[in-house]
Amino acid sequence: MATNRNTFTTAGLKLTAQVQAGQTKIMFTRAVGSEIDLHAKTDDELSIVLAKDIPVNQETQVSGAKVVDDTTVQVKAVFDQSKTAKAFTLNTLGLFAKPVDDKTPGEEILYSIVTFEAGQYVYPDNAGSSQAYWISSTIGDTDKLEIILPEDGTSGLGQAALDMLEGRIKDTYATKDELGKPARSVTINGGDKILPATDGNIAIVVPAPDMSKYTTTDKLVADFLSKVDADKKYLTIEGGAKYRTADQVSAQIDTALAGYIKPITRTAYDKLSTADKQNGIWAVDEKG
């Protein structure tokens, strides 16, 4: 089974010790991929390897870092294959870092070396392919570690962008602890603050709306009846014009027609002459 090794250089161990002592911070700067095969070397031999000892086939910026547990941190390096000049077998991956004091970087060092027992083939590809590697390092107490990413990282967010993003998140969203806290007060439409009771409850009393400016149903009926004359025959509308209601008009039609429509049974109607039938308006009762 193929295995990969990650070994601190002497300079990397020294920088880690300074970080643990609170003397400095770490800025992971870049990673280089190389064809050189160092997997057979011992840890002691790898610890004294310098940057000049690793020929560079492709270089990339560090694009991310995360704390895995109390003692381990992982740094991400992504090789964009559209930037691969020539195909090569990645046998060695070198991680570089700098000490940082008050945002001022120190001299860059070769921090650690990853060697691959089975090399990884990297080739030019403009179709969006890339190879990403998480480089793990055991650094001791991660509570004392402060990781800084380079400002000009081309594979991810630099430190300034991360700081800005963190600030925007804090300004925009409440934290989990803040969401768990009860409300301290509430206002309605810019009014006075309503404070919670001892049990945390905020009692809000919504006042009944003022309906005095609106016309009630009873008043509408009274207004309507006030427009009907004493004999209940006419409805007076705006301008003094008088109108009968639909029921009144229908009743008047029935009264008027009553003088012309004559009721008659079917038997009697059938006995009328043709002239009589044509000269009258008959209401024939089909049952008679």
Side-chain angles (χ1 to χ4, degrees), residues 133-153:
Y133 298 90
W134 282 99
I135 306 167
S136 297
S137 293
T138 302
I139 53 95
D141 187 359
T142 55
D143 287 342
K144 298 180 180 179
L145 178 66
E146 183 166 353
I147 299 170
I148 299 175
L149 299 182
E151 304 290 352
D152 57 348

Side-chain angles (χ1 to χ4, degrees), residues 220-242:
L220 285 174
V221 172
D223 289 345
F224 177 83
L225 294 177
S226 69
K227 298 180 182 298
V228 180
D229 65 4
D231 295 332
K232 302 291 190 295
K233 293 182 178 180
Y234 298 100
L235 176 65
T236 303
I237 311 296
E238 294 179 4
K242 294 184 176 182

Side-chain angles (χ1 to χ4, degrees), residues 5-9 12-13 16 20 26 28 65-76 93-97 110-114 134-142 145 147:
R5 292 163 56 207
N6 185 17
T7 306
F8 279 108
T9 64
L13 286 172
T16 300
Q20 289 298 310
I26 293 179
F28 290 110
K66 63 182 179 182
V67 174
V68 178
D69 53 39
D70 293 341
T71 62
T72 306
V73 65
Q74 287 187 338
V75 179
K76 186 178 183 181
L93 197 159
L95 177 62
F96 289 78
L110 177 59
Y111 182 79
S112 66
I113 301 170
V114 178
W134 282 99
I135 306 167
S136 297
S137 293
T138 302
I139 53 95
D141 187 359
T142 55
L145 178 66
I147 299 170

Side-chain angles (χ1 to χ4, degrees), residues 9 29 65 102 116 140 143 150 182 189 206 232 236 246 263 278:
T9 64
T29 54
D102 298 326
F116 297 88
D143 287 342
N189 295 331
V206 180
K232 302 291 190 295
T236 303
Q278 292 177 347

